[in-house]
Amino acid sequence: MDSKRLRIAMQKSGRLSQDSQELLKSCGFKINLREDRLIAHVENMPIDILRVRDDDIPGLVMDKVVDLGIVGENVLEETMLERQSQGLPTSYKKLKDLDYGGCRLSLAIPREEEWTGVAALQGKKIATTYPHLLKRFLAEQGVTFKPVLLTGSVEVAPRAGLAEAICDLVSSGATLEANGLKEVQVIYRSKASLIQADTELYPEKQKLVDRLMPRLEGMLQARE
Ligand code: PRP
Ligand code: ZN
Ligand code: MG
């Protein structure tokens, strides 16, 4: 890869990918995002788009492998806590809050069970992809729990007997509904955001970012 080209990481497929692609296109990027291409060149600007798993984007920015990243704040915050616990670098610069990708990280339990509050989760098994955010929230309430780590299909855990409750992202609520679960407590509200590596960019790259930001801000304002 050419290090003079600005590198932007975005989710390959998932809740942020469609809106992120549209945002970049509306900023004037000419991109041909073929399904199988993990690196896409922007045809009319010196920019490469890296298409990766959402969970990997904050780390790529914090390790300065890419210059910019479009991430969900939930994944960003979870990665920060994870990396702090490992002594890895966690710095980045927030460039812009975006207006899509809204969702919440919530606790959910089987629909037929009565909810009496988070204290009832003391010592219970909770399935989640976000153990650090969950731990931080429950610790503030004086509750300890046994995390069951799943990177997907978290909603099957209660019926499969893996855990008593789950903590996962909810947007429409359809996934919880389909799995006989009910949302009982929001623990974190998230949106998409544009972040930059905490390092000095090549002057050409920085100029490009400075030229793109007003366009992006204009786009966001126009659709407010
Ligand atoms: C989230 C979450 C649920 C689903 C909830 O997954 O894990 O499966 O979305 O959405 P709903 O309330 O609208 O049904 P996401 O799309 O973020 O994918 P990922 O877990 O693979 O990153
Ligand atoms: Zn993910
Ligand atoms: Mg999911």
Side-chain angles (χ1 to χ4, degrees), residues 102-130:
C103 60
R104 48 200 192 269
L105 184 62
S106 291
L107 284 161
I109 61 170
R111 191 187 292 140
E112 62 283 1
E113 277 172 30
E114 200 190 331
W115 176 246
T116 56
V118 291
L121 294 174
Q122 175 58 41
K124 295 273 166 68
K125 283 188 271 185
I126 307 178
T128 188
T129 313
Y130 302 91

Side-chain angles (χ1 to χ4, degrees), residues 26-203:
S26 71
C27 287
F29 286 43
K30 281 180 91 180
I31 352 171
N32 175 10
L33 291 175
R34 260 178 43 189
E35 253 314 292
D36 54 350
R37 286 222 182 120
L38 301 185
I39 297 178
H41 301 288
V42 178
E43 289 159 29
N44 55 341
M45 291 178 229
I47 300 174
D48 291 333
I49 309 284
L50 256 77
R51 302 166 71 218
V52 294
R53 282 198 60 189
D54 60 343
D55 317 64
D56 293 330
I57 298 173
L60 291 171
V61 173
M62 291 168 187
D63 286 334
K64 306 172 175 58
V65 175
V66 298
D67 304 305
L68 304 183
I70 300 177
V71 295
E73 287 164 339
N74 55 309
V75 172
L76 181 58
E77 194 71 11
E78 179 70 21
T79 306
M80 287 253 290
L81 297 170
E82 167 75 19
R83 289 174 67 104
Q84 270 164 13
S85 75
Q86 298 174 342
L88 294 170
T90 56
S91 65
Y92 67 91
K93 295 185 250 186
K94 162 91 72 112
L95 287 186
K96 199 75 203 156
D97 287 316
L98 303 174
D99 62 358
Y100 59 89
C103 60
R104 48 200 192 269
L105 184 62
S106 291
L107 284 161
I109 61 170
R111 191 187 292 140
E112 62 283 1
E113 277 172 30
E114 200 190 331
W115 176 246
T116 56
V118 291
L121 294 174
Q122 175 58 41
K124 295 273 166 68
K125 283 188 271 185
I126 307 178
T128 188
T129 313
Y130 302 91
H132 292 92
L133 284 171
L134 178 58
K135 187 175 174 202
R136 183 172 72 182
F137 175 85
L138 288 179
E140 280 165 9
Q141 322 277 321
V143 173
T144 56
F145 68 104
K146 298 192 190 93
V148 175
L149 296 183
L150 292 178
T151 54
S153 303
V154 175
E155 294 85 357
V156 307
R159 269 185 310 159
L162 290 171
E164 277 88 28
I166 70 156
C167 175
D168 198 18
L169 296 181
V170 183
S171 56
S172 67
T175 307
L176 290 184
E177 177 69 32
N179 287 283
L181 300 171
K182 63 179 176 190
E183 185 178 10
V184 291
Q185 172 74 53
V186 175
I187 73 159
Y188 190 84
R189 286 186 193 277
S190 175
K191 257 196 190 172
S193 118
L194 176 67
I195 61 171
Q196 181 176 335
D198 187 17
T199 184
E200 214 170 296
L201 297 182
Y202 277 110

